[in-house]
Amino acid sequence: MDVEDDRIPVTLLTGFLGAGKTTVLNHLIQDPDAGRIAVIINEFGDVGIDHDLIEEATEETILMQSGRLCCSIRGDLLKTLGKLWARRNEGQISFDRVVIETTGIADPGPILHSLVVDQIVGPHFRMDGVVTLADAVNGPRTLDAQFEAVHQVAMADAIMISKSDLVTPHDLKSFDTRLAKINKTARRICTDHGYVLPGTLFGLSAMRGDVTSKDVSDWLGMTDQEPDPLAGLSGFTVNPQPVGPLTTIAVAARAQHHQRIVSASIEVETPIPVSVFDFWLDTLIALKGPDALRIKGIVHVEGMEWPFVFHGVQHIFDAPVPLESWKGTDAVTRVVVIARDMREDELIASLETLRLQPKEATSAMEGMMVHTTELSG
């Protein structure tokens, strides 16, 4: 549990239709090492929960023999979370985290927004990570046909590749490369018939006061990662490669949907003036807020004793987390942006303003604003 944040961590499990989300849920329900989890699903009748595990059922809740909880979303996810919190607060039920399973075409964005801005749910729950299931058999066609699937990959903290045993190593590698072009920062893991170690799905966000430099680097995809024991089940490793000081990730020319997604990252070696960072972020959101799918990073600001981590989905941002226990001499700012319908050179130019001094940054961003206005006009 976090040192300074006692809100309940929430994992969003999303993914392609038929990718195997129900199989993953059944493994979580049965795994004694998964901890006390409240699982929220769309409708009990729509998913194949193992009925042998059911001990007692009510209209909205299924209590499993393991002691875990399943809830059905009946119209409003926020109401479901609110009821869970109230019953937990009254001592009726006990759980340490929540896993939400969405429909196959759901956009994760609105759920992430709700956990930040809702005045009832927000103070009690926090997003711990987005896990997207992508099956290797139908995944390439799904990415071509469904832009929602591209969104799910772009917004993921971890991508679980299912059905890897049903394709050739060449096709699996090709699919993995395609996923990486959409979202280089997400950890990619092959599943063993829907099973991964529970810890692989949890603790994905670095928005915690007790994170280490490695946690942050892993979250931003800017460092080598240790191979996962379940990765490479089909003969290759699917861990991301390190990202350089400024890397833009090319989009796949063959897929029209991919051409709408671009991502870039930057590393700035010296602390950034607070006015430069604020102006960069405010301008980016003003110009491209709805299309900035995810923005995250660790920022070292001039005059501050410690850095802070931040995370945003479109124009909605979590409260920045100061890393007061930060150790070491590393003062490198690292920022990652994944955007939709934004030109690659615009995103690069935007990030490069973080290297400038206040007057230079203002001039550069104002120039970009004029250029964008001319394009839209």
Side-chain angles (χ1 to χ4, degrees), residues 81-98:
L81 285 170
K83 290 177 181 179
L84 271 179
W85 168 256
R87 294 180 62 192
R88 182 181 186 266
N89 194 44
E90 293 169 1
Q92 298 178 17
I93 56 177
S94 176
F95 57 90
D96 299 316
R97 62 173 58 249
V98 175

Side-chain angles (χ1 to χ4, degrees), residues 135-138 162-169 171-172 193 234:
D135 78 271
V137 175
N138 300 307
S162 62
K163 304 180 184 178
S164 58
D165 57 317
L166 301 181
V167 298
T168 67
D171 288 343
L172 185 57
H193 297 87
S234 297

Side-chain angles (χ1 to χ4, degrees), residues 1-9 123-126 207-209 321:
M1 191 63 67
D2 297 342
V3 173
E4 299 179 350
D5 192 343
D6 60 358
R7 292 176 298 169
I8 300 168
H124 306 304
F125 297 90
R126 65 172 179 83
M207 295 290 291
R208 313 186 308 274
V321 178

Side-chain angles (χ1 to χ4, degrees), residues 312-358:
V313 176
Q314 297 174 316
H315 62 290
I316 304 296
F317 279 77
D318 294 283
V321 178
L323 304 183
E324 298 183 19
S325 60
W326 189 256
K327 297 179 180 179
T329 58
D330 182 359
V332 178
T333 289
R334 299 174 174 89
V335 177
V336 175
V337 179
I338 301 175
R340 171 188 61 203
D341 296 334
M342 186 173 181
R343 277 179 24 189
E344 193 173 33
D345 59 341
E346 289 179 338
L347 185 53
I348 295 172
S350 170
L351 283 169
E352 280 291 345
T353 61
L354 292 172
R355 300 187 191 275
L356 306 179
Q357 293 302 307

Side-chain angles (χ1 to χ4, degrees), residues 19 24 130-136 156-164 172 175-176 179-180 183 185-202 204 225-234 236-240:
V24 173
V130 177
V131 178
T132 297
L133 251 71
D135 78 271
D157 295 292
I159 302 170
M160 297 172 59
I161 303 176
S162 62
K163 304 180 184 178
S164 58
L172 185 57
F175 183 50
D176 172 66
L179 295 171
N183 186 345
T185 68
R187 186 180 187 185
R188 302 183 304 285
I189 309 158
C190 280
T191 69
D192 184 3
H193 297 87
Y195 177 76
V196 294
L197 296 174
T200 308
L201 306 182
F202 305 146
L204 298 175
Q225 295 181 347
E226 293 297 322
D228 188 272
L230 295 177
L233 291 172
S234 297
F236 74 99
T237 301
V238 291
N239 290 308

